[in-house]
Amino acid sequence: AMGSKEGEVLLYYCYCEVKDPEKLCAWQKALCQHLHLTGKVRVASEGINGTVGGSKVATNLYIEVMLSQPLFKDILCRDDFKSSAGGAHCFPDLRVGVFEEIVPMGIDPKKVSYKETGIHLSPQEFHKEVEQYLSQANQGQSDTILLDCRNFYESKIGHFQGCLAPDIRKFSYFPSYVDENLELFKNKRVLMYCTGGIRCERGSAYLRSKAVCREVYQLKGGIHKYLEEFPDGFYRGKLFVFDDRYAICSNEDIISACRYCGTLWDQYKLCSSQHCRQLVLTCPGCRKKGLTACCPVCQEKELKVASRASGQALKEECECTRRRPRVPIEHISQSTLDTGK
């Protein structure tokens, strides 16, 4: 099993009223520095959202301190911390900042509040719901949509069987996705899920504000908590995480392919072109052949840049990024709901 030197990465959030976000931010930064934790923490007047890595001793102390902080005392509990094997090395540094929202949906928290959230289901309840949904969808008679509210590069390497996974690049595109696809959600029961539960808090509130769904449910604790209970359940593939690991795995399934040769592959690397921040699935064989960029445009650019000695790194979006439709219109068909999707 894990050696004692193995640290961990924690993921958590807490919605609550924060009167002085700047002060909470300073306290949080000092706490993480003191415990030698790295990672990212977002503070806002609506709460806190963080993912931090360090030694087991440090992460345990962090949880203790967070649970005793008066602001979170009656809201946050030990179970709200999701943990996975890792450590401080999983993040390049520590970033703690004050933001408008603790999860960037791009909608004023006063307009669509986390208080209007959907009905939370435990992993067990969610598992039962998905089981029922899959057997009904098999007979082509489901009134339910299993909605993945993560980004396309997350759902690509792992998702629930039979889910609807929007082809969006950022969570801030989720509201427009809902607006453009309202027909899809009419009179449906929606089962939503995301990595740790936080995107569902605002996502479900947004969906509910449209008043078209029959019911909106969300997976409490996200895929993280579901996999603890059901490592071989209805979630197949890896779980994408926003740190240097890119993914953690609960089962050996590989559900995605190398973008060059189509062989099964699910380990992301950053596009090799300096200016590009896209992730690419390219297998060892193709990488050996020099196929290391996210798209032909980047591959070309890289060759040009390599021949220009200046070496200044431009961080820009590649054409393939710009060409992606911001919000895809889903034409949902029975095949989308095909359980094997």
Side-chain angles (χ1 to χ4, degrees), residues 124-161:
Q124 289 82 357
E125 294 169 322
F126 196 83
H127 185 76
K128 278 210 187 79
E129 282 288 345
V130 173
E131 190 165 35
Q132 201 182 345
Y133 157 72
L134 289 174
S135 68
Q136 287 173 344
N138 255 339
Q139 295 146 32
Q141 52 182 25
S142 184
D143 58 351
T144 301
I145 287 181
L146 179 54
L147 180 64
D148 190 319
C149 58
R150 300 171 302 157
N151 307 322
F152 76 90
Y153 54 86
E154 298 175 78
S155 55
K156 188 188 259 180
I157 62 165
H159 54 240
F160 274 95
Q161 292 170 3

Side-chain angles (χ1 to χ4, degrees), residues 94-130:
L94 171 68
R95 290 182 198 178
V96 186
V98 175
F99 297 84
E100 268 293 291
E101 312 165 273
I102 59 172
V103 65
M105 190 165 78
I107 303 268
D108 185 342
K110 289 182 206 72
K111 291 201 176 78
V112 175
S113 161
Y114 66 90
K115 291 171 185 156
E116 305 302 318
T117 179
I119 297 159
H120 294 72
L121 299 180
S122 70
Q124 289 82 357
E125 294 169 322
F126 196 83
H127 185 76
K128 278 210 187 79
E129 282 288 345
V130 173

Side-chain angles (χ1 to χ4, degrees), residues 163-181:
C163 74
L164 172 64
D167 193 20
I168 55 175
R169 208 171 72 240
K170 296 177 179 159
F171 185 56
S172 54
Y173 297 168
F174 181 77
S176 342
Y177 171 80
V178 169
D179 297 352
E180 309 268 326
N181 291 282

Side-chain angles (χ1 to χ4, degrees), residues 143 185-189 212-215:
D143 58 351
F185 298 105
K186 276 231 167 76
N187 301 319
K188 288 280 196 282
R189 297 171 71 244
V212 295
C213 302
R214 207 167 75 214
E215 291 154 324

Side-chain angles (χ1 to χ4, degrees), residues 273-320:
S273 188
Q274 273 186 310
H275 58 276
C276 180
R277 305 301 297 157
Q278 298 298 307
L279 290 168
V280 58
L281 290 173
T282 167
C283 73
C286 290
R287 293 184 71 81
K288 263 203 198 84
K289 292 180 195 149
L291 299 169
T292 52
C294 70
C295 69
V297 177
C298 268
Q299 200 78 41
E300 286 285 292
K301 235 180 210 175
E302 194 186 357
L303 298 173
K304 282 201 201 93
V305 172
S307 59
R308 235 192 334 190
S310 76
Q312 78 196 90
L314 308 156
K315 187 174 162 189
E316 55 178 85
E317 289 199 340
C318 137
E319 273 97 300
C320 69

Side-chain angles (χ1 to χ4, degrees), residues 240-258:
F240 186 94
V241 288
F242 289 92
D243 60 57
D244 295 349
R245 297 171 298 173
Y246 292 133
I248 49 186
C249 102
S250 79
N251 58 58
E252 292 308 305
D253 285 10
I254 300 179
I255 66 164
S256 51
C258 168

